[in-house]
């Protein structure tokens, strides 16, 4: 059953804690992305990775970190340095061989800071 | 800085009516994507527009791209309740990356469509 999975679906964090959001894909896609969505707004790019062991900052990388040790996995850590982390986080993937940039999205993780 | 603006932000329409959502962007790009998002859910790809003059249709939705005007439209024909959702356009922007260049998507703020029976 191919697709993109994100876990957990809901996550609650206390202030000062680091939390890690999981994104796994079995589509054999090369590129993976993390976006943040705030209520009533569009998506903003946090980090992206085109290949294993390489990743780049997006527009709002401060307070976040990522790793890309395997092609299938691109976890996102929300650190205590992220001052307003409550948001909906979406992971996306793209097949690098295609020339255009259509991205496919996972189901998302809703993070709430208590 | 690239800006992507959608108009209107909120649209309430009756079933059976027609309407158009507009997506304007501020820099050169010849690739644009439309996505649909249901409440609390992820994004679903609707249309991929890859050149000036591109037109795609699926059911009651039709999308077009005018790269010279930096404008894309999403036209809804004879709306039905099932079309109620938030619609996003996303512009494809080339950026430096591994191997020379890559692309990223810049999203509009979305249009919340509510189709009333």
């Amino acid at each position: 059953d191919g697709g993109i999975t994100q876990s957990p679906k809901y996550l609650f964090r206390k202030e000062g804690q680091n939390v890690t959001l999981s994104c796994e894909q079995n589509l054999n896609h090369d590129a993976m992305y993390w976006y943040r969505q705030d209520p009533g707004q569009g998506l903003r790019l946090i980090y992206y990775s085109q290949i294993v062991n390489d990743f780049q900052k997006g527009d709002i990388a401060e307070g976040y970190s990522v790793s890309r040790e395997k092609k299938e996995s691109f976890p996102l850590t929300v650190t205590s340095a992220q001052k307003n982390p409550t948001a909906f986080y979406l992971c996306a993937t793209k097949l690098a061989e295609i020339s255009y940039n259509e991205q496919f999205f996972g189901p998302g993780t809703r993070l709430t800071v208590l | 800085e690239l800006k992507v603006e959608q108009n209107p932000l909120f649209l309430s329409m009756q079933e059976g009516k027609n309407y158009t959502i507009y997506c304007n962007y501020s820099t050169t790009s010849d690739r644009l994507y439309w996505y649909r998002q249901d409440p609390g859910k992820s994004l679903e790809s609707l249309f991929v527009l890859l050149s000036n003059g591109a037109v795609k249709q699926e059911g009651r939705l039709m999308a077009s791209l005018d790269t010279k005007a930096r404008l894309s439209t999403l036209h809804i024909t004879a709306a039905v309740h099932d079309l109620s959702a938030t619609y996003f356009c996303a512009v494809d922007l080339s950026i430096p990356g591994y191997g020379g260049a890559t692309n990223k998507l810049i999203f509009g703020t979305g249009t919340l469509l509510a189709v009333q029976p």
Side-chain angles (χ1 to χ4, degrees):
Chain A
D1 190 20
I4 305 166
T5 58
Q6 290 186 242
S7 62
K9 185 173 181 180
Y10 299 97
L11 184 58
F12 298 90
R13 188 194 96 169
K14 294 181 181 179
E15 289 201 20
Q17 278 184 336
N18 292 357
V19 291
T20 298
L21 283 59
S22 169
C23 178
E24 304 279 333
Q25 56 104 355
N26 60 7
L27 300 170
N28 201 32
H29 285 185
D30 304 278
M32 298 185 74
Y33 306 80
W34 274 106
Y35 292 91
R36 169 182 173 140
Q37 184 179 31
D38 292 286
Q41 298 190 30
L43 277 65
R44 292 182 291 167
L45 182 63
I46 305 173
Y47 268 98
Y48 63 100
S49 169
Q50 294 174 267
I51 59 169
V52 174
N53 292 323
D54 185 74
F55 49 83
Q56 305 293 329
K57 292 182 179 179
D59 299 315
I60 54 165
E62 185 175 351
Y64 300 97
S65 66
V66 294
S67 63
R68 185 85 187 276
E69 298 176 0
K70 299 185 300 182
K71 187 175 185 178
E72 302 78 21
S73 179
F74 191 40
L76 174 74
T77 297
V78 184
T79 75
S80 56
Q82 171 49 238
K83 297 306 178 188
N84 186 22
T86 294
F88 189 43
Y89 290 86
L90 288 158
C91 175
T93 70
K94 174 202 161 185
L95 183 62
E97 284 78 24
I98 61 171
S99 62
Y100 53 91
N101 197 24
E102 184 183 18
Q103 297 176 17
F104 299 90
F105 286 83
T109 292
R110 194 165 299 277
L111 173 63
T112 302
V113 173
L114 302 173
Chain B
E1 179 186 343
L2 172 62
K3 291 186 179 179
V4 181
E5 296 181 340
Q6 287 183 235
N7 180 34
L9 297 181
F10 176 70
L11 176 56
S12 178
M13 56 190 300
Q14 288 185 317
E15 282 192 326
K17 299 292 186 182
N18 303 335
Y19 208 83
T20 300
I21 298 170
Y22 298 88
C23 174
N24 292 88
Y25 54 98
S26 61
T27 194
T28 301
S29 176
D30 57 3
R31 298 176 179 178
L32 189 138
Y33 310 83
W34 283 95
Y35 288 88
R36 167 180 171 146
Q37 186 179 37
D38 291 298
K41 303 293 186 182
S42 186
L43 273 68
E44 173 192 354
S45 179
L46 292 176
F47 297 110
V48 177
L49 303 171
L50 300 177
S51 61
N52 185 40
V55 178
K56 296 280 185 71
Q57 182 163 7
E58 181 71 33
R60 301 175 187 274
L61 300 178
M62 183 173 71
S64 67
L65 179 61
D66 181 343
T67 60
K68 293 180 181 177
R70 299 178 182 174
L71 170 69
S72 180
T73 61
L74 181 64
H75 187 73
I76 303 153
T77 301
V80 293
H81 181 68
D82 285 350
L83 289 179
S84 297
T86 299
Y87 293 86
F88 291 96
C89 63
V91 174
D92 200 331
L93 184 67
S94 180
I95 53 175
Y98 183 85
T102 186
N103 294 71
K104 69 174 184 179
L105 298 182
I106 307 296
F107 284 81
T109 51
T111 295
L112 175 58
L113 173 65
V115 181
Q116 312 296 337

